[in-house]
Every structure is written in structure tokens, then in C-alpha cells.
Amino acid sequence: MIRVVVVDDEALVRSGFQLILNAAPDIEVVATATGSEAVAAVERERPDVVLLDIRMPDVDGLTVLRQIRAMPGAPVVAMLTTFDTDDYILSALRSGAAGFVLKDTEPEQLAQLTRTLVAGGVVLSPKVSAALLRNAEPAATADIDADAGRIQRLTDRERAVLVLVAAGLSNAEIGQRIHLSVGTVKDHVSAIFTKLRVTSRVQAALLAQRAGLLDGQP
């Protein structure tokens, strides 16, 4: 079972997500929480996935995100938001979020998005294209040069894996695409993180975009 904790300041949102996800045979919402309750709930339940509201009145969602990501064996975290233009989204991705989910996501899509998160994929919601990565604010020349230098450390195979990571594919999907085992893909992703000095797939994708590795990609 995929264990999920839903964090939102609105009880209706929490109960709605719980009802939808619990209807899936392979997903269980083990806890729901407000922002102030979130860290304790995650420490107690040790979920696989946390769906975390990005804007809450009692505590900043980005603060909660950083606290959760700092935990040993931290779960995957995706941000919940009402608008795909939320100014906080890019900050959340850079802080280790594995993507974000719009609160009006179709119920039948929510379970699949959760499975994608557990499988190591990047979730940017069906309503959002890869333009989110391309529209990141321009980096300074020195930062771009540093990014390019890190990219140069990657092998050709690691670069190919990184492009597919940036496309949002899970490890299994990457393995199918370039004919590698899931274990080998995991090893490549781990090496990519180390060489690029990042801690999440989205951070790796953002760095690849700034370095020009994704230019010309569909």
C-alpha cells in the first residue's frame, strides 16, 4: 500500500482528498493534518507521499516542506495549490518538492499522480506543461557557467537519463525507453544527483534547463 499524508488548512480539502485516494485499492491516507500538525503527523506515520498545501494561514507551506525534506528517509512531497501560476511553486521545487498538484485535479487522475510520485516521477499536474521549467527566472552568467561545468561531469548515458528525468518520467519509464533495468536507472539518477549537487529530480531538471541541455527537446 502507498501511504499518504494530506496536509491542508481546509478540512473539506483534507476529507475530499482522503475520500478520493482511499477509493484506490493500492493507496491509503494514513493521516490528514493542518500545517502546524504536519511534521508530527509525518514523523508518526512515516508515509511514502505527502500532499502539502503550499499556502496555509497557520504555517508557511515552504517551511513545512523543508522540515519534512530534512527528515531521515524523507517521504516524497508534492505541493497542493489552487493556481498553476502560484509564485511559491518554483521555490518549492527548488526546496525539494517532487512537483505540485492542482486542487481541482480530476479525481481519477489523483491516484495515478500519487503512484507517479512513489515511482520517482515528477508531477507537474495535467494542466501544466514543461513550460514551468522553461519559464524559470534567468540565472546569472556565473551560475549558468557553473551549471554547464557540472553537466560536463556526466557521462553520455547520464545525460540521456537526465533529459528523461526532466521530462517527468519515472525510473521504470526511463528504463523502458532506453532499455535499462530499474536498478541501473536508480544508480544513474544517484550519480547525477551527486555530480550536479542536487537533492531532487526537479532540481536536476532545472539545472539541466539552465545549462541548455534541454534546448530542442519537445
Side-chain angles (χ1 to χ4, degrees):
M1 293 290 285
I2 300 171
R3 295 166 56 84
V4 180
V5 167
V6 178
V7 181
D8 196 283
D9 64 300
E10 296 183 22
L12 186 60
V13 172
R14 296 196 301 270
S15 61
F17 271 66
Q18 183 175 31
L19 181 65
I20 292 168
L21 289 173
N22 280 346
D26 57 337
I27 299 174
E28 179 185 7
V29 175
V30 294
T32 65
T34 63
S36 60
E37 301 166 340
V39 173
V42 172
E43 288 179 334
R44 181 180 68 251
E45 300 295 342
R46 293 295 175 181
D48 303 299
V49 176
V50 176
L51 300 179
L52 172 63
D53 190 7
I54 202 167
R55 291 178 180 268
M56 295 178 287
D58 57 342
V59 63
D60 177 28
L62 295 178
T63 298
V64 175
L65 168 64
R66 296 184 186 107
Q67 292 173 334
I68 292 174
R69 292 297 300 161
M71 294 178 181
V76 178
V77 182
M79 310 307 292
L80 296 175
T81 182
T82 305
F83 305 105
D84 58 12
T85 56
D86 196 311
D87 294 339
Y88 284 10
I89 288 173
L90 193 57
S91 295
L93 298 180
R94 286 175 170 164
S95 295
F100 70 95
V101 177
L102 296 181
K103 292 185 181 181
D104 62 355
T105 295
E106 294 295 329
E108 61 270 18
Q109 294 172 335
L110 186 58
Q112 188 54 47
L113 292 176
T114 302
R115 297 183 187 106
T116 297
L117 289 166
V118 169
V122 174
V123 169
L124 296 179
S125 180
K127 291 187 177 181
V128 180
S129 70
L132 179 64
L133 297 178
R134 300 191 183 100
N135 290 340
E137 65 267 21
T141 300
D143 292 335
I144 294 173
D145 291 342
D147 292 344
R150 294 179 191 177
I151 293 292
Q152 290 296 323
R153 300 173 191 165
L154 303 181
T155 65
D156 290 342
R157 178 64 81 184
E158 288 165 352
R159 291 190 192 193
V161 170
L162 177 55
V163 169
L164 296 177
V165 166
L169 274 64
S170 68
N171 290 341
E173 291 168 332
I174 293 172
Q176 292 172 358
R177 184 74 63 89
I178 56 179
H179 310 294
L180 296 174
S181 70
V182 174
T184 299
V185 174
K186 287 182 178 178
D187 289 342
H188 283 313
V189 172
S190 179
I192 289 167
F193 282 12
T194 298
K195 291 179 180 180
L196 299 185
R197 301 177 188 173
V198 299
T199 59
S200 78
R201 298 167 83 92
V202 174
Q203 290 173 348
L206 288 169
L207 190 151
Q209 183 272 331
R210 291 198 304 267
L213 190 61
L214 308 184
D215 293 349
Q217 294 297 321

